[in-house]
Amino acid sequence: MAKLYFRYGAMNSGKSTALLQAAFNYEERGHSVLLAKPAVDTKGDRDIVSRLGVVREVDFVIAPDDGVREVFERHRALAAAESGRDTSCLLVDEAQFLTSEQADDLLRIALIEGIPVLAYGIRTDFQTVAFPGSRRLLEIAHSLEELKTICRCGRKAIFNGRTIDGRFVFDGDQVAIDGEAVTYESLCGVCYLEESGGVLNGRH
Ligand SMILES: [Zn+2]
């Protein structure tokens, strides 16, 4: 039986690097894979960008109202016509930006189509609240794996602090892609509470 895997972590925990490595491992053994990511992530457009410098274009982008199963089937057929090989695995980057329904589709792809799905994403937003895609994946994935990274203090980072012009902020929209003004720092719980003055999820 094919399974749905969710590999999650804080920002900068190497999720895109791990995804690209997993794709490489499949292909090295002669298997075909499809790579996808939600359209809401504007960082790098159609590219999966690893912090180690590896860049690779996705096979398809998932729009907010797309049925992932239909889009996957379409691209699976296109790829098979081109290469003569069926898809062995679907890899999804930035899976936190999927809707809850789209995360359900990933489970259907694994269970009904029999294709393993590896989804990578950030667990929680800058207010320590789960992203919709991540919440659903934590509920339904067969396998959960935490990708770890380190806080500036050396403890394991579990939260994502948002900074604007170098200052931590704890109010704002859930999605603000990092760029010129907005950046993120992976923090452990202790450092997060120090910066927020004890606030979690907008509350003391
Ligand atoms: Zn810390």
Side-chain angles (χ1 to χ4, degrees), residues 18-147:
L19 183 154
L20 293 173
Q21 180 69 53
F24 178 85
N25 292 347
Y26 268 95
E27 290 169 334
E28 193 182 31
R29 291 163 209 158
H31 292 280
S32 294
V33 300
L34 286 176
L35 273 56
K37 67 188 249 189
V40 64
D41 173 33
T42 55
K43 188 173 49 174
D45 298 320
R46 291 181 57 85
D47 286 338
I48 292 176
V49 181
S50 144
R51 290 188 312 130
L52 295 186
V54 183
V55 179
R56 178 163 167 178
E57 194 180 342
V58 294
D59 297 288
F60 61 94
V61 170
I62 301 163
D65 53 358
D66 275 346
V68 181
R69 202 173 153 204
E70 288 75 28
V71 183
F72 168 73
E73 280 304 322
R74 196 157 67 238
H75 286 272
R76 180 186 182 185
L78 283 172
E82 209 168 277
S83 71
R85 276 192 310 229
D86 195 9
T87 297
S88 294
C89 180
L90 171 64
L91 299 109
V92 182
D93 200 21
E94 307 286 2
Q96 72 272 7
F97 294 139
L98 297 172
T99 65
S100 178
E101 292 78 6
Q102 289 174 331
D104 286 343
D105 258 1
L106 297 186
L107 183 64
R108 291 191 186 97
I109 289 167
L111 294 179
I112 300 171
E113 317 297 338
I115 308 292
V117 179
L118 277 55
Y120 295 77
I122 297 165
R123 182 165 59 166
T124 55
D125 67 13
F126 75 112
Q127 293 179 311
T128 72
V129 176
F131 286 97
S134 299
R135 178 179 296 130
R136 191 64 188 137
L137 286 164
L138 288 165
E139 289 166 345
I140 63 175
H142 295 95
S143 164
L144 298 173
E145 183 187 338
E146 184 178 27
L147 300 176

Side-chain angles (χ1 to χ4, degrees), residues 151-155 187-188 190-191:
C151 179
R152 58 192 178 195
C153 72
R155 295 187 189 93
L187 296 169
C188 73
V190 173
C191 290

